[in-house]
Amino acid sequence: QVQLVESGGGVVQPGGSLRLSCGTSGFTFSRYDMHWVRQAPGKGLEWVADITFDGSDEFYPDSVKGRFAISRDNSRNTLYLQMNSLRVEDTAVYYCARGGVDFWGQGTLVTVSS
Amino acid sequence: EIVMTQTPLSSLVNIGQPASISCRSSESLADRDGNTYLSWLHQRPGQPPRLLIYKVSYRFSGVPDRFSGSGAGTDFTLKISRVEAEDVGVYYCMQSTQLNTFGQGTKLEIK
């Protein structure tokens, strides 16, 4: 069955960096675009980044553009999110989702606090 | 950026009664490829979202047929024909025609 498992969350100071990973199984990872979506505590869903199936294109909303970078390793069936210059408002549960948002991981919590 | 606006933001419904959620986009979601990339997701407390409906009206695998989606252009609706206890949670519309944007969410509770 399709599985997505996020890891790498934790507590980081403002201005710091963190790298999230999303390990996948149960489907041909290299055939799918992938997403990162976040949810601040008690708030709604916010799209964070997209990457095409082959890694040739990346897309970001203005809120994270220039600070976050999505990447993938199709040989390892793994998706990544490099987060730099973190701000308090980046505190959220970060989910990875398969293209079409048909399958989601359980999420990993990122807390940005001094 | 396409803005997605959901109404109502909360809904109190009796079990067995219908429920309806509206979603309006600031621009048409009709893509040049002929598809309209509007999805509906459901999130229970403490759980990740799960996909219910994609491309306006297609039910995802395993989704009960009491859920239906309709609409075109900028106006879309999710309907639950008979609400069950397991339907509580927050419902989101999401557009993927131009990047991605979510609606604010609609909280469904049982009376």
Side-chain angles (χ1 to χ4, degrees), chain B:
Chain B
E1 175 191 330
I2 295 180
V3 177
M4 306 297 288
T5 303
Q6 290 182 227
T7 54
L9 297 183
S10 66
S11 183
L12 209 52
V13 182
N14 284 314
I15 288 179
Q17 293 301 301
S20 180
I21 301 169
S22 294
C23 178
R24 178 165 290 178
S25 57
S26 59
E27 301 174 34
S28 173
L29 298 185
D31 199 344
R32 288 174 291 182
D33 66 3
N35 292 306
T36 298
Y37 295 99
L38 186 283
S39 302
W40 290 96
L41 301 102
H42 175 220
Q43 186 178 33
R44 297 188 180 103
Q47 294 292 315
R50 68 174 183 125
L51 180 66
L52 296 175
I53 302 284
Y54 63 98
K55 288 197 282 188
V56 180
S57 60
Y58 294 87
R59 263 190 308 276
F60 184 56
S61 175
V63 174
D65 61 7
R66 65 179 182 275
F67 291 92
S68 64
S70 63
T74 61
D75 288 287
F76 304 92
T77 302
L78 175 71
K79 291 184 179 176
I80 309 173
S81 58
R82 295 173 304 279
V83 169
E84 297 189 5
E86 65 183 20
D87 298 337
V88 298
V90 181
Y91 290 82
Y92 296 93
C93 60
M94 174 191 176
Q95 69 82 19
S96 301
T97 295
Q98 189 182 119
L99 299 181
N100 302 277
T101 323
F102 291 93
Q104 320 97 299
T106 296
K107 188 174 185 178
L108 180 70
E109 296 175 293
I110 302 298
K111 270 187 193 174

Side-chain angles (χ1 to χ4, degrees), chain A residues 17-71:
Chain A
S17 298
L18 213 53
R19 188 199 198 200
L20 306 183
S21 299
C22 171
T24 72
S25 61
F27 67 102
T28 306
F29 180 69
S30 60
R31 292 184 182 174
Y32 288 86
D33 298 349
M34 296 293 294
H35 308 276
W36 285 100
V37 174
R38 69 183 179 185
Q39 187 168 37
K43 302 296 185 183
L45 301 171
E46 180 188 14
W47 167 65
V48 170
D50 275 4
I51 189 167
T52 51
F53 67 99
D54 59 357
S56 60
D57 274 310
E58 305 160 25
F59 305 92
Y60 307 91
D62 288 344
S63 57
V64 307
K65 196 177 293 183
R67 299 189 300 123
F68 288 12
I70 188 172
S71 63

Side-chain angles (χ1 to χ4, degrees), chain A residues 92-109:
Chain A
V93 174
Y94 284 73
Y95 297 101
C96 61
R98 196 171 77 165
V101 292
D102 54 358
F103 289 94
W104 295 65
Q106 290 296 312
T108 187
L109 176 62

